[in-house]
Amino acid sequence: MIDARGLAEAAAGWLAGVGGKGPPVDVTPHLPQATAALTTILALVVLFFALRPELWRRLFLTRVDPRPAALMRIAFGMVVLWSFLDLLPTARLLFTDEGFWLGDTARNNYGGLLRRAYDPEHGFERWYDPLRALLHGFTPLHLRADPPFAYTLYGLTFASLIAMIVGWHARAATILAWFLANSLYLYSPIFYTGGDTVVRNFLFLGMFTGWGQAYSLDAWRRRRRELLADARAIAPPPSIAAWPLRLMMLQLAIIYCATGALKAGLTWLDGTALYYALCLDHFYRHPIVVNIATGLQAIGVLPLMTWATKLWETLFPLALIGVALRAFERERAAGRWRAGPGWARLLSYGCVAGAILLASYVGGLGALYYYDPKLSPWPSVDRTEIAVATQALALALPALAVGGYLVVRRRAPRVHRFLLEVLLSRRLWLGAGLVMHIGIDLLMNVGTFVQVMMAVYLVWLGGDEIDRFWRLLGTRPRRADEPGFADAVRAAGAERGLARLTRRLRVRVRRPPYVVHHHPGEASIRRAALLRVWDLCGRLEFVADEAVAPERLEVWTPQGVRRSGAAAGAALCRALPGLWPLAPLAAIPGVGRGVGGLARRVLAQR
């Protein structure tokens, strides 16, 4: 059960300690009221979904395409693996009793229940204490942290992450990766960054995600059994539960909104925050960045970027609202939306209104206690006035947003379409995030936080977008001197305006194919069909050829060169995305044959 009073106290203490500045804020005069408000909000949320169970089902109890989650598994796993590889030179210092902390000291400082229930000489006090310790920040390193043991855990972490990335027993590998990675993090939190916290959160959610159902060795082995047995077609990957992915999306929105809301200092208001950050010698990647930042600040570019960053982060939950609204409008237009009985809808609207009213009250209390006129750009506005203004704004904004949306949907369909397809679209919010994070990574040294956050973006995609992505990789821009160029430009609507900027993405032609020759017998056809599972970009064509030995592999490259055996496997490394990591090795003289043989075995070819 959630302890609302404890939650309120923790939030108050945390807010009071932000930045380590100033004395603690005494919130006890209104703590009972805030606790009651938070408890009531929670009860109203539960009641809302009890009245509208179809919304809960549509949000969390549906099933979705597994491919976006599978791509996230690969990208996220590679980032986490790189994070621990990056820590390897300092692993003895961070994770062993020969580093910052002796084992007993680390346990006493960060061991949770172990500091009371475990004694190095006598062990656990009671037989069930090990089970209790598992629920209170347990790590084996608080029991034993000598370098051989710590490095063994470190190696097992690498192995589990690699197994998760390639999708070998993906769920078990994810559970093991989370436990081991968390064990390393819990030994000592002194090196934590925001990226490390994101890693722990999303690895935990990944344990409940069926992200091994696509782009994995598990899925490949299942399809290979089916194709070599009696399957008549390549079955699509099975759908997976949506609720872990929805929680990942919600978690990302909370991270951004919280970080944006906490950027509340004067430097964020006057537009100098990014300038100061880029001038810190432990952040910038090269001293020339200071000169660039100075110039951009002088001409007003950096202040605009500062305000845009804060605004984008704070308002990022609008991306979630956009996803929900587009799904609602799509279901409503298709006639699949069941609104439920009128009385239930009215009561649910009352729950929403009550929750907003109570949330505005809590927001007003926060402004009352944490607003400081001395640090404000409006020193003449006192605490009471800012609290009233905060409450009024928190009430007015939702009402205006809902009312405005209903009016626009009914009276201005073009504006409504622009709202859904542009202002609330994932392309806008995630695209801005990509630009922001890439800029941060180019200019500032912030660890792997950038890559971790961008890897999570993949769960926001749909299966159709994944298909378009692979088709894009399987094509190239059509040249102006090629036949049909003008007709293709007109068909894509890319002859003028802003569409010309994206012409290379819109007007494309298929890359030359790799032609697979196989024997016309059924066993050979099934063996060749295994390659279709790997052909995500549509680069392969198949030809039945009596001259090819049964169940053997022959490939004609786009240059018209015939390859067989290991050479055919090496050629396919350039055509099949799952083998692209092997392609550079396949081009090395003396190594290519071995790589081609490995590829042929992976593809189950002879």
Side-chain angles (χ1 to χ4, degrees):
M1 181 178 295
I2 296 177
D3 182 356
R5 182 182 180 88
L7 179 64
E9 291 175 341
W14 178 74
L15 286 171
V18 169
K21 299 178 182 179
V25 178
D26 182 14
V27 298
T28 52
H30 289 91
L31 188 59
Q33 295 91 324
T35 302
L38 291 173
T39 306
T40 307
I41 290 174
L42 178 61
L44 288 173
V45 171
V46 174
L47 179 59
F48 173 84
F49 283 111
L51 293 168
R52 305 290 296 275
E54 77 283 355
L55 293 181
W56 182 265
R57 178 183 61 81
R58 290 175 182 272
L59 284 173
F60 295 106
L61 302 183
T62 186
R63 301 187 70 83
V64 295
D65 192 310
R67 291 175 295 171
L71 284 180
M72 182 204 161
R73 184 197 78 240
I74 297 170
F76 186 75
M78 292 177 67
V79 173
V80 178
L81 183 66
W82 176 254
S83 299
F84 282 106
L85 282 172
D86 189 48
L87 291 174
L88 185 58
T90 56
R92 182 183 291 267
L93 186 68
L94 296 174
F95 306 120
T96 76
D97 56 9
E98 295 182 359
F100 282 129
W101 306 103
L102 294 173
D104 293 345
T105 307
R107 183 173 61 253
N108 290 333
N109 285 339
Y110 311 113
L113 182 68
L114 282 180
R115 73 183 71 176
R116 301 186 304 272
Y118 178 79
D119 182 79
E121 295 184 5
H122 303 95
F124 288 98
E125 183 177 356
R126 292 176 290 270
W127 67 268
Y128 53 83
D129 280 342
L131 299 177
R132 295 174 60 207
L134 289 173
L135 303 176
H136 293 80
F138 172 78
T139 171
L141 293 176
H142 285 158
L143 301 177
R144 177 180 175 183
D146 55 280
F149 183 75
Y151 279 119
T152 298
L153 285 184
Y154 215 80
L156 290 174
T157 304
F158 285 153
S160 62
L161 286 170
I162 292 172
M164 185 186 80
I165 292 169
V166 301
W168 183 67
H169 299 288
R171 190 178 296 276
T174 304
I175 295 173
L176 187 60
W178 171 80
F179 175 77
L180 293 172
N182 203 45
S183 295
L184 294 172
Y185 282 125
L186 288 175
Y187 181 70
S188 169
I190 59 174
F191 68 98
Y192 273 10
T193 66
D196 296 314
T197 303
V198 174
V199 164
R200 298 171 64 196
N201 289 344
F202 284 96
L203 269 180
F204 178 78
L205 291 174
M207 295 191 301
F208 307 98
T209 306
W211 57 11
Q213 296 294 339
Y215 306 146
S216 66
L217 290 180
D218 295 339
W220 160 242
R221 289 184 300 176
R222 183 182 65 250
R223 287 182 164 187
R224 183 178 62 187
R225 288 193 301 267
E226 294 171 352
L227 286 173
L228 294 182
D230 57 354
R232 310 307 300 177
I234 299 176
S239 59
I240 61 175
W243 66 267
L245 306 183
R246 300 288 189 262
L247 290 179
M248 288 183 180
M249 296 167 66
L250 180 61
Q251 176 71 78
L252 187 72
I254 291 172
I255 291 172
Y256 278 139
C257 185
T259 54
L262 290 174
K263 289 179 171 66
L266 287 178
T267 56
W268 286 98
L269 292 175
D270 62 20
T272 58
L274 289 184
Y275 170 74
Y276 288 131
L278 290 171
C279 291
L280 293 174
D281 56 3
H282 60 283
F283 272 154
Y284 63 67
R285 289 195 177 276
H286 193 277
I288 196 174
V289 172
V290 177
N291 297 329
I292 296 174
T294 302
L296 293 177
Q297 185 72 21
I299 63 176
V301 173
L302 215 53
L304 290 177
M305 294 173 62
T306 302
W307 297 323
T309 299
K310 174 177 171 55
L311 191 65
W312 174 83
E313 287 186 331
T314 306
L315 298 180
F316 188 84
L318 289 176
L320 271 181
I321 295 174
V323 171
L325 283 176
R326 281 193 300 275
F328 164 71
E329 296 292 354
R330 185 171 57 250
E331 295 285 310
R332 180 172 171 267
R336 295 191 297 264
W337 183 264
R338 290 181 297 177
W343 66 268
R345 293 202 307 273
L346 289 176
L347 286 178
S348 67
Y349 298 154
C351 291
V352 172
I356 292 174
L357 180 64
L358 291 171
S360 69
Y361 171 72
V362 174
L365 290 181
L368 180 67
Y369 281 100
Y370 295 106
Y371 172 76
D372 189 346
K374 298 178 182 178
L375 301 178
S376 170
W378 313 289
S380 60
V381 180
D382 62 25
R383 295 176 183 269
T384 304
E385 293 172 333
I386 202 69
V388 172
T390 300
Q391 290 177 341
L393 193 63
L395 288 173
L397 284 180
L400 291 175
V402 173
Y405 179 79
L406 294 176
V407 170
V408 166
R409 187 177 68 178
R410 172 170 296 187
R411 299 183 178 274
R414 296 181 63 180
V415 176
H416 178 241
R417 186 165 57 252
F418 176 79
L419 181 68
L420 291 181
E421 296 180 1
V422 179
L423 294 184
L424 297 179
S425 69
R426 292 168 297 171
R427 285 176 293 180
L428 174 65
W429 293 93
L430 297 183
L434 287 175
V435 172
M436 181 193 73
H437 283 305
I438 291 173
I440 290 174
D441 197 42
L442 291 176
L443 298 176
M444 302 177 68
N445 179 21
V446 291
T448 55
F449 174 75
V450 168
Q451 293 78 13
V452 166
M453 298 299 287
M454 289 193 297
V456 180
Y457 284 10
L458 291 168
V459 299
W460 290 67
L461 303 180
D464 56 335
E465 292 162 316
I466 300 298
D467 286 333
R468 291 200 296 270
F469 170 74
W470 291 124
R471 285 198 299 269
L472 180 69
L473 294 183
T475 59
R476 61 169 178 80
R478 187 188 290 268
R479 296 190 300 271
D481 58 351
E482 291 182 317
F485 175 78
D487 293 337
V489 169
R490 283 193 295 272
E495 63 267 65
R496 59 181 176 272
L498 294 177
R500 296 187 63 182
L501 300 177
T502 60
R503 178 180 292 177
R504 290 178 62 85
L505 296 176
R506 292 168 175 262
V507 184
R508 303 180 68 84
V509 64
R510 184 189 178 193
R511 296 182 184 275
Y514 288 76
V515 183
V516 177
H517 288 245
H518 59 84
H519 190 271
E522 181 177 354
S524 299
I525 292 175
R526 289 184 178 277
R527 182 73 61 178
L530 294 175
L531 297 177
R532 295 185 183 274
V533 179
W534 295 79
D535 185 25
L536 304 177
C537 299
R539 295 295 307 279
L540 301 184
E541 290 183 357
F542 296 84
V543 174
D545 190 345
E546 291 277 3
V548 179
E551 299 191 55
R552 302 294 292 180
L553 175 66
E554 282 195 6
V555 177
W556 291 77
T557 68
Q559 294 77 28
V561 180
R562 174 178 172 273
R563 302 291 188 187
S564 61
L572 289 175
C573 288
R574 296 187 291 273
L576 306 178
L579 298 181
W580 281 348
L582 299 178
L585 298 176
I588 301 176
V591 178
R593 184 173 182 82
V595 172
L598 174 62
R600 189 174 58 169
R601 291 182 62 86
V602 170
L603 296 171
Q605 301 296 318
R606 297 175 179 173

